[in-house]
PDB file of all heavy atoms in Angstrom:
ATOM      1  N   GLU A  19     368.273 141.801  37.306  1.00  0.00           N
ATOM      2  CA  GLU A  19     368.714 141.677  35.932  1.00  0.00           C
ATOM      3  C   GLU A  19     369.410 140.342  35.732  1.00  0.00           C
ATOM      4  O   GLU A  19     369.152 139.732  34.623  1.00  0.00           O
ATOM      5  CB  GLU A  19     369.745 142.886  35.676  1.00  0.00           C
ATOM      6  CG  GLU A  19     370.210 142.842  34.234  1.00  0.00           C
ATOM      7  CD  GLU A  19     371.248 143.964  33.951  1.00  0.00           C
ATOM      8  OE1 GLU A  19     371.381 144.938  34.845  1.00  0.00           O
ATOM      9  OE2 GLU A  19     371.873 143.992  32.906  1.00  0.00           O
ATOM     10  N   VAL A  32     359.545 135.917  32.209  1.00  0.00           N
ATOM     11  CA  VAL A  32     359.958 136.437  33.574  1.00  0.00           C
ATOM     12  C   VAL A  32     359.450 137.888  33.686  1.00  0.00           C
ATOM     13  O   VAL A  32     359.489 138.768  32.751  1.00  0.00           O
ATOM     14  CB  VAL A  32     361.480 136.572  33.681  1.00  0.00           C
ATOM     15  CG1 VAL A  32     361.810 137.242  35.044  1.00  0.00           C
ATOM     16  CG2 VAL A  32     362.093 135.275  33.521  1.00  0.00           C
ATOM     17  N   GLY A  43     350.701 143.096  43.409  1.00  0.00           N
ATOM     18  CA  GLY A  43     349.890 143.646  42.419  1.00  0.00           C
ATOM     19  C   GLY A  43     350.179 142.893  41.091  1.00  0.00           C
ATOM     20  O   GLY A  43     349.212 142.536  40.391  1.00  0.00           O
ATOM     21  N   GLU A  79     348.386 127.064  45.683  1.00  0.00           N
ATOM     22  CA  GLU A  79     349.237 126.097  45.007  1.00  0.00           C
ATOM     23  C   GLU A  79     350.350 126.685  44.279  1.00  0.00           C
ATOM     24  O   GLU A  79     351.166 125.931  43.599  1.00  0.00           O
ATOM     25  CB  GLU A  79     348.486 125.199  44.049  1.00  0.00           C
ATOM     26  CG  GLU A  79     347.275 124.455  44.833  1.00  0.00           C
ATOM     27  CD  GLU A  79     347.863 123.540  45.890  1.00  0.00           C
ATOM     28  OE1 GLU A  79     348.909 122.861  45.746  1.00  0.00           O
ATOM     29  OE2 GLU A  79     347.101 123.288  47.018  1.00  0.00           O
ATOM     30  N   LEU A  83     359.458 130.703  46.065  1.00  0.00           N
ATOM     31  CA  LEU A  83     360.890 130.504  46.488  1.00  0.00           C
ATOM     32  C   LEU A  83     361.384 131.671  47.032  1.00  0.00           C
ATOM     33  O   LEU A  83     361.219 132.807  46.474  1.00  0.00           O
ATOM     34  CB  LEU A  83     361.681 129.924  45.263  1.00  0.00           C
ATOM     35  CG  LEU A  83     363.149 129.701  45.417  1.00  0.00           C
ATOM     36  CD1 LEU A  83     363.628 128.600  44.429  1.00  0.00           C
ATOM     37  CD2 LEU A  83     364.065 130.937  45.284  1.00  0.00           C
ATOM     38  N   LEU A  85     364.571 134.251  48.419  1.00  0.00           N
ATOM     39  CA  LEU A  85     365.990 134.481  48.241  1.00  0.00           C
ATOM     40  C   LEU A  85     366.265 135.349  49.582  1.00  0.00           C
ATOM     41  O   LEU A  85     365.580 136.185  50.068  1.00  0.00           O
ATOM     42  CB  LEU A  85     366.272 135.528  47.149  1.00  0.00           C
ATOM     43  CG  LEU A  85     365.836 135.106  45.671  1.00  0.00           C
ATOM     44  CD1 LEU A  85     366.074 136.232  44.730  1.00  0.00           C
ATOM     45  CD2 LEU A  85     366.603 133.872  45.268  1.00  0.00           C
ATOM     46  N   THR A  86     367.385 134.842  50.228  1.00  0.00           N
ATOM     47  CA  THR A  86     367.821 135.548  51.471  1.00  0.00           C
ATOM     48  C   THR A  86     369.246 135.628  51.638  1.00  0.00           C
ATOM     49  O   THR A  86     369.980 134.777  51.337  1.00  0.00           O
ATOM     50  CB  THR A  86     367.102 134.727  52.641  1.00  0.00           C
ATOM     51  OG1 THR A  86     367.643 135.377  53.896  1.00  0.00           O
ATOM     52  CG2 THR A  86     367.494 133.359  52.624  1.00  0.00           C
ATOM     53  N   VAL A 106     366.771 129.954  48.493  1.00  0.00           N
ATOM     54  CA  VAL A 106     368.137 130.011  47.974  1.00  0.00           C
ATOM     55  C   VAL A 106     368.809 131.237  48.640  1.00  0.00           C
ATOM     56  O   VAL A 106     368.277 132.215  48.729  1.00  0.00           O
ATOM     57  CB  VAL A 106     368.170 130.224  46.469  1.00  0.00           C
ATOM     58  CG1 VAL A 106     369.525 130.397  46.007  1.00  0.00           C
ATOM     59  CG2 VAL A 106     367.482 128.997  45.802  1.00  0.00           C
ATOM     60  N   PHE A 123     359.520 122.905  39.522  1.00  0.00           N
ATOM     61  CA  PHE A 123     358.459 122.691  38.468  1.00  0.00           C
ATOM     62  C   PHE A 123     358.283 121.236  38.230  1.00  0.00           C
ATOM     63  O   PHE A 123     357.137 120.653  37.878  1.00  0.00           O
ATOM     64  CB  PHE A 123     358.817 123.342  37.163  1.00  0.00           C
ATOM     65  CG  PHE A 123     358.430 124.903  37.214  1.00  0.00           C
ATOM     66  CD1 PHE A 123     359.376 125.784  36.964  1.00  0.00           C
ATOM     67  CD2 PHE A 123     357.175 125.171  37.415  1.00  0.00           C
ATOM     68  CE1 PHE A 123     359.084 127.120  36.897  1.00  0.00           C
ATOM     69  CE2 PHE A 123     356.796 126.583  37.465  1.00  0.00           C
ATOM     70  CZ  PHE A 123     357.842 127.478  37.175  1.00  0.00           C
ATOM     71  N   PRO A 130     349.443 110.565  42.785  1.00  0.00           N
ATOM     72  CA  PRO A 130     348.566 110.003  43.790  1.00  0.00           C
ATOM     73  C   PRO A 130     349.300 109.553  45.075  1.00  0.00           C
ATOM     74  O   PRO A 130     350.457 109.122  44.932  1.00  0.00           O
ATOM     75  CB  PRO A 130     347.852 108.751  43.075  1.00  0.00           C
ATOM     76  CG  PRO A 130     348.054 109.141  41.775  1.00  0.00           C
ATOM     77  CD  PRO A 130     349.327 109.718  41.591  1.00  0.00           C
ATOM     78  N   LYS A 161     356.242 103.971  61.352  1.00  0.00           N
ATOM     79  CA  LYS A 161     356.574 105.350  61.279  1.00  0.00           C
ATOM     80  C   LYS A 161     357.822 105.637  60.425  1.00  0.00           C
ATOM     81  O   LYS A 161     357.857 106.661  59.846  1.00  0.00           O
ATOM     82  CB  LYS A 161     356.717 105.852  62.697  1.00  0.00           C
ATOM     83  CG  LYS A 161     355.360 105.966  63.530  1.00  0.00           C
ATOM     84  CD  LYS A 161     354.329 106.654  62.729  1.00  0.00           C
ATOM     85  CE  LYS A 161     352.982 106.761  63.642  1.00  0.00           C
ATOM     86  NZ  LYS A 161     351.906 107.451  62.878  1.00  0.00           N
ATOM     87  N   VAL A 176     362.624 120.864  51.494  1.00  0.00           N
ATOM     88  CA  VAL A 176     362.823 120.805  52.985  1.00  0.00           C
ATOM     89  C   VAL A 176     361.700 120.738  53.724  1.00  0.00           C
ATOM     90  O   VAL A 176     360.758 121.619  53.607  1.00  0.00           O
ATOM     91  CB  VAL A 176     363.675 122.035  53.315  1.00  0.00           C
ATOM     92  CG1 VAL A 176     363.997 121.976  54.818  1.00  0.00           C
ATOM     93  CG2 VAL A 176     364.961 122.122  52.568  1.00  0.00           C
ATOM     94  N   ASP A 212     372.818 107.027  51.867  1.00  0.00           N
ATOM     95  CA  ASP A 212     372.773 108.387  52.377  1.00  0.00           C
ATOM     96  C   ASP A 212     371.883 109.158  51.621  1.00  0.00           C
ATOM     97  O   ASP A 212     372.250 110.060  50.819  1.00  0.00           O
ATOM     98  CB  ASP A 212     374.325 108.992  52.292  1.00  0.00           C
ATOM     99  CG  ASP A 212     374.398 110.269  52.962  1.00  0.00           C
ATOM    100  OD1 ASP A 212     373.596 110.573  53.800  1.00  0.00           O
ATOM    101  OD2 ASP A 212     375.398 110.951  52.682  1.00  0.00           O
TER     102      ASP A 212
END
Side-chain angles (χ1 to χ4, degrees):
E19 184 178 349
V32 181
E79 300 299 324
L83 181 149
L85 301 178
T86 175
V106 174
F123 279 124
K161 291 304 181 186
V176 179
D212 186 17

